[in-house]
Amino acid sequence: MSLKNLISAFAATVMLISSASMSAQSHYGSNPGLLISGSCDVSTLPQAAKKFIEKHFHDVNVKECEHEYLDAIYKVKLVNGVELEFANDGSVVEIEAAKRQTLQENIVKDVVPGKIYKHLKEKGLADDVESIEYEKGKVIEVDVAIKGPDTFMYDLDGNFLIIKD
């Protein structure tokens, strides 16, 4: 097949797909379909999430706020680079420090069960925490800024389970 025929076949395919897409759009009108996520105003966050931000980041402005409807999660980015995730009830799902930074130790102490904080403190890691994530009500993952395996896994009662990469 010559290059000219190949280009013509490609152009015809693009036009065919485009017209099918336009036809589908006109069939459904201007409705974009199911809303999966969208930006939100901080005032629409659950009360517990607003209280958490006010307590721990009262001097830091919110840069971005998004509500992911399918996952039932609010994602909040602060101007200092910290990223927060909250469940629809306002409970903390994840806290992630800005790139190449760690979370303040007082935040770690407030967010994790006392046993976890004590374990991290004994290991000298309480001020090296990069992120904390609650995994679907099963475990708590704490990522620390160390070489080698750096994710400490705990059960919901704060009992140490394993370190993983």
Side-chain angles (χ1 to χ4, degrees):
M1 181 181 273
S2 73
L3 181 59
K4 184 177 178 180
N5 289 344
L6 184 62
I7 292 172
S8 296
F10 178 74
T13 304
V14 169
M15 288 174 45
L16 182 64
I17 292 171
S18 298
S19 65
S21 175
M22 285 183 204
S23 172
Q25 286 177 356
S26 65
H27 175 71
Y28 293 107
S30 61
N31 185 354
L34 180 64
L35 183 62
I36 296 172
S37 70
S39 63
C40 63
D41 189 82
V42 176
S43 65
T44 64
L45 288 173
Q47 192 62 33
K50 289 190 276 191
K51 284 183 180 179
F52 181 87
I53 294 170
E54 178 59 33
K55 179 178 180 181
H56 297 290
F57 301 99
H58 57 82
D59 57 344
V60 182
N61 289 328
V62 172
K63 178 180 179 180
E64 208 173 292
C65 182
E66 184 177 332
H67 189 191
E68 293 188 358
Y69 298 98
L70 292 178
D71 294 331
I73 295 288
Y74 287 90
K75 291 186 174 189
V76 177
K77 292 182 183 178
L78 305 178
V79 294
N80 66 357
V82 171
E83 296 183 14
L84 309 165
E85 288 187 13
F86 300 97
N88 273 345
D89 66 359
S91 60
V92 176
V93 174
E94 183 175 8
I95 304 171
E96 188 173 336
K99 291 187 188 318
R100 294 181 289 281
Q101 293 187 20
T102 58
L103 297 170
Q104 294 175 358
E105 189 173 336
N106 65 323
I107 293 172
V108 174
K109 186 176 182 178
D110 281 355
V111 172
V112 299
K115 280 176 142 178
I116 295 176
Y117 177 74
K118 183 179 177 189
H119 182 253
L120 292 169
K121 190 78 172 162
E122 288 171 355
K123 299 282 186 190
L125 300 172
D127 59 351
D128 291 327
V129 174
E130 295 175 319
S131 69
I132 301 166
E133 182 174 4
Y134 288 81
E135 286 288 331
K136 306 232 186 242
K138 296 177 184 173
V139 296
I140 301 169
E141 289 188 5
V142 179
D143 288 330
V144 294
I146 60 173
K147 291 184 189 236
D150 62 351
T151 301
F152 288 69
M153 308 268 307
Y154 302 87
D155 66 19
L156 296 178
D157 293 324
N159 297 307
F160 175 71
L161 301 172
I162 192 169
I163 300 174
K164 70 175 192 169
D165 260 340

